[in-house]
């Protein structure tokens, strides 16, 4: 099928390449010329495992191309909207500017029988609003909402082999379901569950899934606070409650909490939308979820001061990790980068490193100091703080690493190191929610 993908950021670039991989003829549209150029040369504009290969093979096959011209969507029947919905400046709600602009730019190129498929994460009510707009300006064109659940670091896998497909369609719109089934035929043939529902439910599936995941993480981080006050061990607690299949062990890793381009802004926008709808109380708990999450960052700063004898000022601190999670170069709302900045603001001499995110971090925070490796960052440090659990850091040898630093002191902000091994190697080992 010939399809267009409007917006080639994280979601769109992966979606376009994945759709070409499924055999479709795909044109990706983005306003950013340099991004389009890079994608057309067969390279991903950000770090994501397997994406380079997928883009390169799509371009080589002739089934994938990128453009800045909306006119190039001509001939496509199905148009995916994959632009970003960031947090609006000075507010918790979602900034819908890019969604609205992409629809406006797309409308003149739509033909009767086309289907516009929203994938962006949007406030509930958006699909109905856009459907009314499209029905008026491009009669005969329909809208569907098909949220995306991809995780960074697993984006290619999550797009080609998703847990589930959700179609939000207007009542009685059988053709939308037929078209989407055709696009996802091979995914459906693999037995992937498919839920066909109304617009509002489809929109809510996405935000409620993210709200649930954020709540799960903040729940265990609240338990970490309790554990810190009582001498309990939050990791053992998570293991024990996680054995209950109703609870499950995943997303119960206590540490510096969630960041990234989705969970933080999505829980804020969801709560803001509930307030607009006059039902703010229903999601008031999400404010607490957000607060618990942010408190963990402050806790690391406090712990650092404690380890360093009362103040971090003038102390040399190595920060391992800048990305919001491993296998990503994404620093949006990254707890690691936030903590590095907080320490620097308190006049610590912070040297940060990350296997992939240094470039992004340097561009946004040129005043921080960066090192190319964990060893370089830790040279002469009085404290090491691990904030993103990259495999390289999880596998550090505490004995060899101990010979580089000035003082063997480490804060494991992700509870991902073997405390016994580190202590045996002479380290003062501190973590979050564990004695
Ligand atoms: C998330 C959702 O998982 C995905 O379904 C949605 O489409 C987009 O948002 P992503 O932002 O890529 O995906 O990251 P995710 O793997 O969910 O992790 C989010 C944050 O939570 C990271 O900062 C991670 O370090 C943190 N986290 C995760 C924890 O602190 N503890 C955990 O147990 C799990």
């Amino acid at each position: 099928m010939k399809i267009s993908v409007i917006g080639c950021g994280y979601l769109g670039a992966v979606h376009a390449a994945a759709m070409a991989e499924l055999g479709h003829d795909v044109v990706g549209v983005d306003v950013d010329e340099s991004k389009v150029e890079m994608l057309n040369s067969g390279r991903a504009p950000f770090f994501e495992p397997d994406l380079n290969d997928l883009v390169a093979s799509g371009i080589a096959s002739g089934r994938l191309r990128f453009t800045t011209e909306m006119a190039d969507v001509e001939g496509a029947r199905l148009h995916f909207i994959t632009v970003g919905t960031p947090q609006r400046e000075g507010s918790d709600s979602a900034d819908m500017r890019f969604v609205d602009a992409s629809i406006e730019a797309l409308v003149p190129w739509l033909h009767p029988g086309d289907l516009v498929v929203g994938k962006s994460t949007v406030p509930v009510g958006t699909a109905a609003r856009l459907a009314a707009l499209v029905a008026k300006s491009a009669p005969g064109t329909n809208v569907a909402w098909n949220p995306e659940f991809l995780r960074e670091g697993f984006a290619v896998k999550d797009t080609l082999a998703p847990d589930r497909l959700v179609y939000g369609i207007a009542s009685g719109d059988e053709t939308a379901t037929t078209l989407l089934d055709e696009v996802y035929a091979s995914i459906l043939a693999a037995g992937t569950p498919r839920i066909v529902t109304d617009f509002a439910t489809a929109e809510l599936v996405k935000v409620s899934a993210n709200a649930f995941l954020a709540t799960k993480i903040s729940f265990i981080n609240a338990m970490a606070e309790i554990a810190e006050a009582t001498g309990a061990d939050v990791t053992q607690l998570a293991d024990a409650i996680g054995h209950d299949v109703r609870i499950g062990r995943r997303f119960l890793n206590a540490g510096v909490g969630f960041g990234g381009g989705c969970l933080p802004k999505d829980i804020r926008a969801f709560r803001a939308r509930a307030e607009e709808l006059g039902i703010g109380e229903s999601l008031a708990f999400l404010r607490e979820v957000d607060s618990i999450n942010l408190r963990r960052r402050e806790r690391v700063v406090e712990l650092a001061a404690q380890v360093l004898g009362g103040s971090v000022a003038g102390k040399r601190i190595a920060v391992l990790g800048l990305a919001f999670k491993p296998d990503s170069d994404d620093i949006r709302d990254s707890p690691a980068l936030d903590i590095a900045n907080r320490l620097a603001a308190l006049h610590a001499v912070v040297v940060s490193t990350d296997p992939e995110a240094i470039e992004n971090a340097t561009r946004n925070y040129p005043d921080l100091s960066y090192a190319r490796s964990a060893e370089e960052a830790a040279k002469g440090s009085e404290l090491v703080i691990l904030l993103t659990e990259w495999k390289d850091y999880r596998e550090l040898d505490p004995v060899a690493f101990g010979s580089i630093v000035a003082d063997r002191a480490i804060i494991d902000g992700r509870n991902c190191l073997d405390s016994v091994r580190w202590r045996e190697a002479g380290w003062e080992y501190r973590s979050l929610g564990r004695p």
Side-chain angles (χ1 to χ4, degrees), residues 2-339:
K2 182 158 186 211
I3 64 180
S4 78
V5 176
I6 320 293
C8 299
Y10 222 103
L11 171 56
V14 176
H15 192 67
M19 293 304 103
E21 177 72 15
L22 295 184
H24 302 299
D25 185 2
V26 184
V27 59
V29 186
D30 199 286
V31 291
D32 182 338
E33 268 175 39
S34 61
K35 193 185 283 176
V36 163
E37 204 175 296
M38 203 164 165
L39 285 161
N40 273 330
S41 71
R43 286 171 303 147
F46 45 83
F47 175 81
E48 176 64 37
D50 305 327
L51 184 59
N52 263 326
D53 289 349
L54 203 68
V55 172
S57 87
I59 298 285
S61 72
R63 287 194 307 272
L64 178 65
R65 70 201 167 88
F66 296 90
T67 176
T68 53
E69 296 297 326
M70 192 61 89
D72 293 341
V73 306
E74 192 62 59
R77 271 203 80 187
L78 217 142
H79 310 273
F80 286 103
I81 304 294
T82 53
V83 293
T85 50
Q87 188 172 336
R88 195 196 301 262
E89 202 144 335
S91 143
D92 276 353
S93 55
D95 187 344
M96 295 301 291
R97 218 169 351 150
F98 306 111
V99 172
D100 292 344
S102 62
I103 294 284
E104 196 183 314
L106 177 63
V107 155
W109 306 101
L110 293 172
H111 298 289
D114 282 7
L115 182 67
V116 177
V117 184
K119 289 195 84 66
S120 309
T121 304
V122 292
V124 57
T126 302
R129 174 172 70 80
L130 295 179
L133 195 147
V134 166
K136 209 161 95 198
S137 14
T141 302
N142 290 328
V143 169
W145 218 263
N146 169 222
E148 180 61 54
F149 306 99
L150 64 80
R151 296 161 298 168
E152 295 191 17
F154 300 90
V156 169
K157 183 183 157 289
D158 285 351
T159 307
L160 290 171
D163 291 339
R164 73 291 208 190
L165 290 169
V166 176
Y167 306 168
I169 58 166
S171 74
D173 186 2
E174 300 290 324
T175 50
T177 305
T178 308
L179 276 172
L180 286 166
D181 279 353
E182 205 179 319
V183 169
Y184 296 129
S186 55
I187 294 176
L188 291 167
T192 307
R194 183 199 72 171
I195 291 129
V196 181
T197 183
D198 53 85
F199 286 153
T201 307
E203 291 164 322
L204 284 171
V205 168
K206 173 64 200 240
V207 281
S208 61
N210 278 354
F212 190 84
L213 294 172
T215 304
K216 204 171 174 191
I217 299 168
S218 278
F219 174 83
I220 202 66
N221 281 331
M223 294 309 110
E225 292 184 336
I226 305 290
E228 280 157 17
T230 55
D233 183 322
V234 75
T235 303
Q236 288 184 328
L237 179 119
D239 291 344
I241 63 172
H243 280 301
D244 183 333
V245 289
R246 293 169 304 173
I247 296 173
R249 180 62 179 83
R250 295 178 72 187
F251 271 66
L252 282 184
N253 293 322
V256 290
F258 60 81
C262 293
L263 299 193
K265 63 111 178 152
D266 287 351
I267 59 167
R268 291 171 197 150
F270 194 13
R271 206 184 42 72
R273 182 68 182 132
E275 265 167 26
E276 272 172 26
L277 292 167
I279 45 166
E281 266 177 21
S282 304
L283 297 182
F285 72 95
L286 288 179
R287 195 188 286 282
E288 207 49 54
V289 166
D290 205 358
S291 305
I292 294 166
N293 191 52
L294 297 175
R295 276 208 300 272
R296 292 283 79 190
R297 304 179 185 186
E298 200 44 49
R299 169 70 185 155
V300 173
V301 175
E302 276 168 26
L303 211 51
Q306 218 180 76
V307 172
L308 292 167
S311 163
V312 300
K315 300 288 167 56
R316 193 175 156 122
I317 301 177
V319 165
L320 309 188
L322 291 162
F324 84 103
K325 69 178 206 181
D327 298 316
S328 167
D329 65 357
D330 196 340
I331 55 160
R332 284 176 295 171
D333 213 329
S334 166
L337 196 52
D338 187 16
I339 290 166

Side-chain angles (χ1 to χ4, degrees), residues 368-380:
L368 278 181
S369 297
Y370 301 98
R372 282 278 144 207
S373 66
E375 287 74 18
E376 203 187 308
K379 209 176 282 172

